[in-house]
């Protein structure tokens, strides 16, 4: 169903928004809403997504009608579709506060007055900290080529990554170079169900201490 307005009242353990959808027949269904924050009213498209994280209904936000006061502009252009980051729409200090509150709730039964509960120590920067990324090769039925990451709740659908702010900028540049080379070649993406194709994955790693870099192209056959 399309154009459903939902009010986000809490967060799921995965950090997604959670709402209650009142169906026309009176039945109330819980809905997971990625890219939303508590206190927001959002307009969504609903669809079924039966996974371990989402046992029922999942919503894709098409419009934030009433934004949270905490909402900020995501840094990455792929944030709405990529499954890698969860809270780019929220300031980092508020992310830490939510995580700390979650931990306090989890250990509420064992933490006594004699226990010292120290606050979370945040990292110097939430960006460009990863030293390894693995990207997948994929093709659709029309032969269009994709090299990047798997879209959220897409059952393995890959999209072309143009930027990623979790790793150094050389990773994105290398990714674009390999994609350009692949588009001009006759090689195909490996398709596991049938055991056909050539290119499986592209792995890049960097040692922050030395600056050494490695790029690994994994192929089949």
């Amino acid at each position: 169903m399309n154009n459903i307005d939902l009010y986000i009242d809490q967060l799921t353990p995965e950090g997604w928004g959670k709402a209650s959808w009142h169906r026309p027949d009176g039945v109330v269904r819980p809905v997971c809403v990625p890219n939303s924050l508590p206190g927001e009213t959002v307009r969504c498209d609903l669809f079924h997504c039966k996974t371990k994280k989402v046992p029922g209904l999942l919503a894709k936000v098409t419009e934030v009608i009433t934004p949270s006061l905490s909402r900020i502009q995501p840094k990455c252009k792929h944030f709405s579709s990529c499954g890698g980051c969860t809270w780019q729409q929220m300031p980092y200090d508020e992310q830490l506060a939510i995580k700390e509150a979650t931990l306090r709730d989890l250990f509420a039964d064992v933490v006594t007055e004699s226990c010292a509960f120290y606050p979370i120590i945040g990292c110097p920067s939430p960006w460009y900290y990863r030293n390894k990324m693995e990207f997948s090769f994929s093709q659709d039925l029309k032969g269009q080529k994709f090299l990047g990451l798997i879209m959220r709740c897409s059952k393995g659908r890959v999209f072309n990554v143009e930027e990623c702010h979790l790793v150094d900028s050389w990773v994105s540049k290398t990714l674009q170079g390999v994609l350009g080379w692949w588009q001009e070649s006759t090689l195909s993406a490996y398709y596991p169900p049938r055991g056909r194709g050539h290119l499986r994955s592209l792995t890049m790693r960097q040692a922050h201490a030395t600056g050494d870099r490695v790029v690994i192209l994994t192929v089949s056959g």
Side-chain angles (χ1 to χ4, degrees):
M1 297 185 65
N2 298 333
N3 298 324
I4 302 297
D5 292 350
L6 298 173
Y7 176 76
I8 310 301
D9 54 14
Q10 58 181 304
L11 292 173
T12 69
E14 294 76 28
W16 297 348
K18 188 175 183 180
S20 297
W21 175 44
H22 296 261
R23 298 192 328 190
D25 59 4
V27 176
V28 180
R29 296 285 303 277
V31 183
C32 293
V33 190
N35 307 336
S36 64
L37 296 173
E40 293 186 331
T41 300
V42 295
R43 184 156 295 161
C44 309
D45 294 338
L46 301 184
F47 58 95
H48 289 275
C49 181
K50 294 184 179 180
T51 66
K52 292 182 179 180
K53 290 184 178 181
V54 186
L57 289 172
L58 185 72
K60 180 179 180 181
V61 176
T62 57
E63 180 184 354
V64 179
I65 300 175
T66 306
S68 166
L69 295 177
S70 300
R71 177 171 286 274
I72 60 175
Q73 181 65 30
K75 188 178 183 70
C76 182
K77 65 188 297 183
H78 302 305
F79 174 65
S80 61
S81 57
C82 180
C85 294
T86 303
W87 280 347
Q88 282 195 22
Q89 80 280 31
M90 181 190 301
Y92 182 54
D93 58 342
E94 295 192 22
Q95 298 178 28
L96 295 180
I98 291 177
K99 293 176 182 179
E100 183 175 322
T102 301
L103 286 174
R104 287 183 178 274
D105 290 340
L106 288 173
F107 291 97
D109 295 337
V110 295
V111 174
T112 64
E113 294 182 356
S114 61
C115 298
F117 199 106
Y118 294 99
I120 292 177
I121 299 175
C123 61
S125 173
W127 310 110
Y128 313 111
Y129 61 88
R130 291 193 62 170
N131 67 348
K132 176 189 175 184
M133 287 287 286
E134 181 174 312
F135 302 95
S136 301
F137 291 87
S138 181
Q139 286 179 263
D140 59 17
L141 296 177
K142 297 180 180 180
Q144 186 176 0
K145 299 177 178 180
F146 301 91
L147 174 57
L149 300 173
I150 297 176
M151 299 178 68
R152 180 186 293 113
C153 296
S154 65
K155 297 182 179 180
R157 183 181 175 186
V158 176
F159 70 96
N160 287 324
V161 172
E162 298 180 8
E163 63 182 35
C164 180
H165 301 282
L166 301 185
V167 289
D168 194 272
S169 59
W170 75 270
V171 174
S172 298
K173 294 178 181 178
T174 304
L175 193 65
Q176 296 306 307
V178 174
L179 177 59
W181 160 78
W182 181 34
Q183 289 175 336
E184 296 178 357
S185 76
T186 58
L187 299 175
S188 61
Y190 181 73
Y191 186 57
R194 296 187 178 181
R196 299 177 182 176
H198 309 96
L199 305 181
R200 286 176 174 260
S201 64
L202 184 70
T203 305
M204 287 179 263
R205 184 190 296 270
Q206 175 176 341
H208 291 301
T210 64
D212 292 342
R213 301 171 179 176
V214 62
V215 179
I216 304 171
L217 179 64
T218 304
V219 301
S220 176

